[in-house]
Amino acid sequence: MIKKILIGIVVAFILLMIIGALLGDDTTDSTTNSEVSSSAEPAELIAVTARELFTAYDKNEVAADKQFKGKMLEVTATVSSIDSGFSDNAIVQLNTGNDFQSVSAEGDETFTDIASTLNKGQEVTMICQGGGEIIGSPMLDNCVIQ
């Protein structure tokens, strides 16, 4: 019974995150995956784990936005789930050590194709643009799985 309630809460939370992402006011520049992969140089990347990203936003969202939002990140984490968004694009949830919140990573059709080969519990590294935080969970946009 408790497990069903927790699953219901997690599903509702994920739906709220997706709705928030669609309705949110994102003022960062939009970049396509091809631009991300061709223009990102290793010196420009900020290496961070999903857990570190989550902790930074949990401690101080304003400071974390200044450090990560709109910047190119090399994120390494364990996959906690691979979900399908409204337009059937993949949303890869990255483990943060918090059972109820994850880092959400999204990309284009190529990202979705590669995400379909991932498994829960698999370690992954991706290059993404920091997308801020929605409902307590850091967002990663325009991701390219390495």
Side-chain angles (χ1 to χ4, degrees), residues 2-136:
I2 292 175
K3 185 176 181 181
K4 287 183 181 182
I5 292 171
L6 287 176
I7 290 172
I9 290 171
V10 170
V11 169
F13 178 75
I14 291 171
L15 288 174
L16 286 173
M17 285 183 12
I18 293 169
I19 291 169
L22 292 174
L23 299 177
D25 181 21
D26 187 20
T27 57
T28 59
D29 292 333
S30 180
T31 308
T32 65
N33 268 353
S34 60
E35 290 171 339
V36 170
S37 60
S38 65
S39 66
E41 296 177 16
E44 297 174 2
L45 294 177
I46 299 170
V48 64
T49 66
R51 185 178 296 239
E52 292 166 342
L53 191 62
F54 175 78
T55 300
Y57 273 98
D58 190 46
K59 287 181 179 178
N60 184 331
E61 182 178 355
V62 174
D65 272 349
K66 284 187 173 196
Q67 186 176 2
F68 301 115
K69 190 172 183 179
K71 301 199 176 141
M72 297 309 301
L73 310 175
E74 181 182 49
V75 182
T76 302
T78 302
V79 174
S80 60
S81 69
I82 304 100
D83 305 318
S84 185
F86 286 120
S87 60
D88 292 329
N89 287 334
I91 302 170
V92 177
Q93 303 295 337
L94 303 174
N95 189 320
T96 63
N98 181 311
D99 291 336
F100 300 105
Q101 292 180 302
S102 59
V103 172
S104 297
E106 299 183 43
D108 64 7
E109 288 181 31
T110 302
F111 176 85
T112 296
D113 291 342
I114 296 171
S116 71
T117 68
L118 297 176
N119 293 304
K120 183 177 179 178
Q122 182 177 346
E123 185 163 312
V124 65
T125 298
M126 50 183 80
I127 307 296
C128 305
Q129 182 177 24
E133 178 186 66
I134 297 177
I135 312 173

